[in-house]
Amino acid sequence: MKKTGAWLARYALEQLGIRYTFGIPGVHNTELYDELNKSELITPMLVSHEGGASFMADGLSRLSDSVGTLLVVPAAGLTHAASGIGEAFLDGVPMLVICGGIRTDIDWKFQLHEMDLHQFMKGITKATYKIEHTRDVVSTLFEAYRVATTGEPGPVFIELPMNVQMFPDDVGELPRWAAPALPAPAAATQIDAAVALLQNARKPGLFVGWGARDCSAELMALADHLQAPVATTLQGFSVFPASHPLHAGFSFGPSAVPAARNAFVDCDVLLAVGTRFGEIASGSFGLTVPSQLIHVDICSHVFNANYPAQVAIEGDARVVVPQLLAALRRVQPAARAETGLAGRIAADKKAYRQTWYDHDSQGRVNPARFFDALRAATPADAVTVVDDGNHTYLTAELWPILTAKSGILPSDFNAMGYSIPAAMGAKLARPDVPVNCIVGDGCFRMTCMEIITATQYQLGVVYYVFCDGELSQISQAQEIPYNRKPCTVLSTIVIDGVARAVGAGYFKIATDADLTEKIAAANAMAKKGQPVIVEVSMDYSKRTAFTEGVVKTNFQRFTLKQKARALGRAVVRKVTG
């Protein structure tokens, strides 16, 4: 039979369970859009900017079993999408990046959008493919999906030239997709070595990242059995529920909240699952990690990169964590006796929150009161999508995530502007639960016009825009050493004007007194399918534990000469203005 490459691509994507594609039609992919328009299983989503498309695909992938799929044109369409592709690459998020390509059946040079797409994509994808023949379309897309979803997940790039899309050719019998099985279990010797350390530990601890997102129940059982505190990475802050009595907080070193810092004092055996001990997760590498480190990760190259592991287990957490739990229960059937740890964690959390309540927000919105009001109005399974900035760490420290995989944010690549489109992907992934977006006014300026897409498709996301008129995470970092804030003070943006322009609802929370009423009104409007922008006059004057801890960690790492220079400059700037 004869089929076009576009028809075959549609067939392959339907086989793979793709539900949405994100992008903008152009001369190099109109055949694909025409085919997908006939599909009863796939909805092509028109976006305002391909950068928004890639963030939407990322949000969908993180919160569903479907893989976010881009459908873009070469050159500008692909370069626009690159930030979201890079975010997915560093964060371990599967994505299919399907790009039209110039014709390969003609000899003309300098065609429209002609560039080396694969060289451009090489550094931010797991693999790239160029489909030269119609007969290879289905098998290549199947292989790309397998690469994107196995091992450490990530984006994969596929170029589909115009002529392959357009012109029919003979194809053989079409294959059907069969999902790969889970990876093999870890070696028994490795499991036994890890269990021996955990069994004999005086004060074990768990540090879990995004790689452990699909084994939350087993992690809770492990923590209960060991009576061990649990800290999460920033990206993994929804891996372990904050309602669990042994949840300590985000990270556990000098940049962590007191509950986590105190819970991990004298930790002698650390079980780290699904984390690379990257800069943000470790508070700028400020963690003190015990020599008895058990490190479980799907990628072997993360072992011993920053902290040496006594036992390193390469494997999928979905397989390895249940293995560890079963083996531990065999050698130690009864859980450890309670030591009062849970009570101390609860007391530390309460005391830290009280410091925020006691802080004078000078007529603006107190962060702790905002998050408490939002929590009271939000079901446990609601999704929270966070952007990159000071609001990120406020959320990580003050917003209790109650269910697994109900919070996502950019980490490592740290693309500002992520959350507005990613929240749309989250809403497509979880249409039956509320989706809240926490975004700073700096990040909001980057992608706010993408809310047009949410209006078009009736995606009722509530966007809480924390406004202080600065790029506050960086301006706080500038304030101490420089006593000035170059290029981090923002010009005024009329947010209600933006809301009118994009067709969103609008509310303003000016003080704590507005919280309950305005949050309820925003929720009611979003429930009807209308996106809502809520302008929050947020008080950023109190620094997070993360910000203070990272500053101290980096200063302590300076040489004596560097410290003298930094202190001297700060003093001079304070005196001279």
Side-chain angles (χ1 to χ4, degrees):
M1 61 179 175
K2 288 183 178 289
K3 294 293 182 182
T4 66
W7 187 96
L8 292 165
R10 169 189 157 191
Y11 168 84
L13 293 176
E14 289 176 342
Q15 283 281 304
L16 293 168
I18 302 303
R19 291 184 289 151
Y20 299 96
T21 64
F22 304 92
I24 300 175
V27 296
H28 292 88
N29 61 15
T30 51
E31 288 288 327
L32 280 169
Y33 273 95
D34 186 63
E35 274 297 338
L36 291 176
N37 191 50
K38 306 171 190 175
S39 177
E40 296 180 358
L41 302 176
I42 302 171
T43 301
M45 304 286 290
L46 173 64
V47 302
S48 301
H49 188 279
E50 287 91 345
S54 55
F55 292 138
M56 288 181 207
D58 176 296
L60 178 76
S61 282
R62 294 193 198 216
L63 295 174
S64 74
D65 294 330
S66 185
V67 170
T69 300
L70 300 186
L71 187 50
V72 298
V73 295
L78 190 60
T79 59
H80 287 341
S83 288
I85 298 168
E87 188 70 61
F89 180 66
L90 287 193
D91 289 4
V93 177
M95 186 182 292
L96 291 180
V97 183
I98 301 174
C99 182
I102 64 170
R103 291 185 64 170
T104 58
D105 61 338
I106 58 177
D107 293 330
W108 297 105
K109 305 300 180 185
F110 311 114
Q111 296 183 49
L112 175 67
H113 295 332
E114 184 173 355
M115 61 177 282
D116 189 336
L117 305 176
H118 300 267
Q119 184 65 27
F120 177 65
M121 284 284 102
K122 184 177 179 181
I124 55 173
T125 58
K126 290 184 70 177
T128 74
Y129 299 90
K130 183 174 182 178
I131 300 176
E132 301 278 7
H133 303 287
T134 307
R135 63 179 178 271
D136 297 329
V137 170
V138 175
S139 59
T140 301
L141 285 170
F142 282 4
E143 175 64 9
Y145 185 95
R146 184 194 65 76
V147 172
T149 56
T150 57
E152 182 179 19
V156 174
F157 174 73
I158 309 101
E159 179 185 359
L160 187 54
M162 284 176 63
N163 50 294
V164 178
Q165 294 177 48
M166 289 191 297
F167 303 129
D169 201 352
D170 289 317
V171 294
E173 183 178 351
L174 297 179
R176 299 186 70 83
W177 170 251
L182 279 175
T189 52
Q190 291 180 307
I191 297 295
D192 291 344
V195 167
L197 291 179
L198 292 170
Q199 185 183 11
N200 296 314
R202 290 180 294 101
K203 289 190 66 177
L206 274 63
F207 187 42
V208 297
W210 180 247
R213 62 193 175 277
D214 291 315
C215 53
S216 292
E218 291 85 356
L219 289 171
M220 286 189 279
L222 260 177
D224 288 334
H225 196 86
L226 293 167
Q227 283 298 295
V230 181
T232 74
T233 66
L234 182 63
Q235 190 185 359
F237 82 135
S238 67
V239 167
F240 197 88
S243 54
H244 192 284
L246 294 172
H247 172 273
F250 154 50
S251 201
F252 60 88
S255 63
V257 296
R261 288 203 306 267
N262 296 339
F264 280 80
V265 170
D266 297 328
C267 172
D268 61 333
V269 177
L270 181 67
L271 172 60
V273 183
T275 172
R276 294 173 289 205
F277 288 99
E279 183 168 5
I280 292 177
S282 63
S284 199
F285 313 113
L287 299 180
T288 298
V289 175
S291 61
Q292 296 186 108
L293 169 63
I294 305 162
H295 196 174
V296 177
D297 202 273
I298 204 164
C299 292
S300 61
H301 67 260
V302 307
F303 300 140
N304 308 307
N306 290 324
Y307 298 96
Q310 186 165 334
V311 177
I313 303 177
E314 181 183 359
D316 192 313
R318 294 174 296 173
V319 177
V320 176
V321 173
Q323 277 187 276
L324 284 171
L325 178 61
L328 187 63
R329 283 172 168 168
R330 281 195 301 271
V331 300
Q332 195 180 66
R336 290 175 184 242
E338 292 189 17
T339 62
L341 174 63
R344 293 193 296 274
I345 289 174
D348 283 341
K349 284 185 176 183
K350 183 178 179 180
Y352 182 65
R353 207 166 200 87
Q354 190 61 48
T355 66
W356 286 88
Y357 269 78
D358 292 342
H359 176 69
D360 183 3
S361 292
Q362 299 181 341
R364 295 178 70 84
V365 176
N366 181 287
R369 295 184 189 278
F370 168 82
F371 283 113
D372 283 353
L374 185 63
R375 182 73 278 169
T378 305
D381 61 350
V383 172
T384 305
V385 184
V386 190
D387 218 293
D388 174 43
N390 194 45
H391 57 281
T392 313
Y393 304 102
L394 285 173
T395 307
E397 293 182 8
L398 298 172
W399 174 243
I401 292 284
L402 302 180
T403 55
K405 292 201 298 185
S406 61
I408 59 173
L409 45 73
S411 185
D412 295 337
F413 195 87
N414 276 69
M416 291 176 65
Y418 167 88
S419 66
I420 288 177
M424 298 175 210
K427 189 64 178 176
L428 292 170
R430 307 267 181 93
D432 298 326
V433 303
V435 175
N436 295 317
C437 172
I438 306 296
V439 57
D441 45 1
C443 296
F444 179 78
R445 288 154 50 119
M446 291 188 168
T447 51
C448 61
M449 296 309 292
E450 197 64 70
I451 298 176
I452 294 171
T453 304
T455 302
Q456 178 182 353
Y457 293 102
Q458 297 183 302
L459 302 176
V461 176
V462 181
Y463 294 97
Y464 290 98
V465 186
F466 286 10
C467 295
D468 75 324
E470 295 183 356
L471 300 174
S472 62
Q473 186 68 16
I474 301 303
S475 69
Q476 288 183 4
Q478 292 173 321
E479 190 174 12
I480 296 173
Y482 308 138
N483 195 37
R484 60 197 67 173
K485 302 173 181 180
C487 291
T488 54
V489 177
L490 305 175
S491 58
T492 301
I493 178 171
V494 182
I495 293 181
D496 59 332
V498 174
R500 288 196 301 274
V502 299
Y506 171 81
F507 298 96
K508 182 170 183 177
I509 297 176
T511 68
D512 295 341
D514 298 330
L515 286 166
T516 301
E517 177 188 352
K518 298 297 176 62
I519 289 173
N523 287 345
M525 187 174 286
K527 196 171 184 179
K528 297 176 182 178
Q530 183 176 11
V532 184
I533 299 172
V534 182
E535 181 177 354
V536 184
S537 299
M538 185 58 69
D539 171 34
Y540 277 164
S541 60
K542 178 175 166 61
R543 293 187 177 91
T544 61
F546 178 85
T547 299
E548 291 188 336
V550 165
V551 169
K552 291 177 182 176
T553 293
N554 281 290
F555 183 75
Q556 289 169 358
R557 199 173 283 137
F558 287 176
T559 65
L560 186 60
K561 184 178 180 180
Q562 291 167 341
K563 287 177 181 177
R565 178 182 183 276
L567 289 171
R569 181 172 61 175
V571 169
V572 169
R573 293 280 178 94
K574 290 292 183 185
V575 172
T576 61

